[in-house]
Amino acid sequence: MFQDSKGYLWSGGYGGLSRFDGKEFINYSPKNGLINHYVNAICEDDSGMIYAGTVEGLSILKNKKIYANFSTKNGLIENTINALCYRKNEGVYIGTVKGLFCFNNGKFFAIKGFDKRDIKCLQVMNDILCVGTSNGLFYYDKKNNSINKQQGLDNNSINCLSYSGADTSLFVGTTKGFSIIRTDHRPANFHEENGLIDENITSIYSEGINNIWVGSGSGLLNFNGKEFSFYN
């Protein structure tokens, strides 16, 4: 799910792409130009164009219509897109099952150092792009052209990321637990013995260090900074 700059709520999934204005939905499928009905990721650039990443390529929407489609036939380096993230003056970062790429000025560029990595999720954190993969969490700094791997996580397969700018904490969901990474890059790791009902964390939404919503395969949790509450 993604909320754009105008307040519209976009959702993707197996049934295509939908835009909700609070009253009604506008739905997009291959019948009206979407490159594939299975949408994994959504983002927006500064011009207001919406990007939808699917299992068969990238669709771009402009003024409520499909503006362009890209697959390996049109310059995209890998069709199966798991994550999208826009960074001002850099372009749209595309996380795929075979690496990290950037789309800028109509062209795709491979980000060296992520060759053939299975990218699961992306999150902007100040000047750093956080890259969650099936083999660890990495920090990509384009300005300094550096890639650093996060140490101390109990599991390397990263499902989701959320950044709380107010207290500079990064929240990490993995297949085997939930972690909070502070500014000193020392993670606090949480498991079932710490109150998790399910260690396979599928989504995170942060409203600050004392109000974190955690989605799992068994239900919804809220973390208040000390303990978890469970909603089934």
Side-chain angles (χ1 to χ4, degrees):
M1 301 183 74
F2 177 81
Q3 187 174 28
D4 69 19
S5 59
K6 296 178 181 178
Y8 295 117
L9 189 65
W10 296 83
S11 64
Y14 185 76
L17 180 69
S18 297
R19 192 195 81 163
F20 184 55
D21 65 1
K23 294 182 179 180
E24 60 184 7
F25 288 89
I26 297 177
N27 301 310
Y28 300 86
S29 72
K31 292 181 180 179
N32 48 11
L34 194 69
I35 196 165
N36 185 272
H37 63 87
Y38 205 134
V39 177
N40 285 331
I42 308 165
C43 78
E44 177 187 24
D45 67 15
D46 277 344
S47 69
M49 289 197 292
I50 299 295
Y51 296 75
T54 79
V55 297
E56 286 191 6
L58 181 70
S59 288
I60 303 176
L61 286 81
K62 183 178 181 181
N63 298 324
K64 301 181 184 180
K65 294 182 179 180
I66 304 296
Y67 172 72
N69 286 319
F70 293 92
S71 68
T72 52
K73 298 177 181 178
N74 315 104
L76 189 64
I77 305 170
E78 165 58 39
N79 279 340
T80 306
I81 298 171
N82 288 331
L84 295 172
C85 186
Y86 174 72
R87 293 206 68 186
K88 189 176 180 65
N89 300 323
E90 294 181 20
V92 175
Y93 285 94
I94 304 170
T96 78
V97 295
K98 293 184 180 178
L100 179 66
F101 308 96
C102 187
F103 179 70
N104 193 16
N105 294 324
K107 295 182 179 180
F108 296 92
F109 305 91
I111 307 300
K112 294 181 180 180
F114 292 98
D115 308 24
K116 297 182 180 180
R117 290 193 182 275
D118 183 5
I119 311 298
K120 298 293 188 181
C121 50
L122 300 169
Q123 174 67 52
V124 173
M125 184 175 69
N126 298 326
D127 295 328
I128 303 297
L129 182 66
C130 304
V131 184
T133 78
S134 59
N135 190 33
L137 173 62
F138 297 85
Y139 302 107
Y140 172 59
D141 184 344
K142 182 180 180 181
K143 183 178 180 181
N144 297 311
N145 193 29
S146 66
I147 298 172
N148 295 294
K149 186 175 183 179
Q150 173 66 50
Q151 302 298 320
L153 292 176
D154 285 349
N155 188 61
N156 273 333
S157 187
I158 313 298
N159 284 338
C160 49
L161 298 166
S162 181
Y163 175 61
S164 175
D167 47 44
T168 60
S169 295
L170 181 68
F171 305 100
V172 184
T174 78
T175 57
K176 292 185 179 178
F178 167 71
S179 299
I180 301 176
I181 300 174
R182 315 289 191 193
T183 52
D184 60 3
H185 286 278
R186 293 183 180 179
N189 300 314
F190 299 86
H191 302 282
E192 287 184 359
E193 57 264 32
N194 308 115
L196 286 181
I197 194 70
D198 188 329
E199 292 190 350
N200 185 26
I201 307 303
T202 55
S203 58
I204 302 173
Y205 180 73
S206 164
E207 293 183 313
I209 190 66
N210 295 324
N211 193 15
I212 308 163
W213 295 96
V214 181
S216 77
S218 300
L220 178 68
L221 297 127
N222 180 268
F223 184 64
N224 64 8
K226 295 181 180 180
E227 59 185 6
F228 291 93
S229 300
F230 175 59
Y231 301 83
N232 61 18

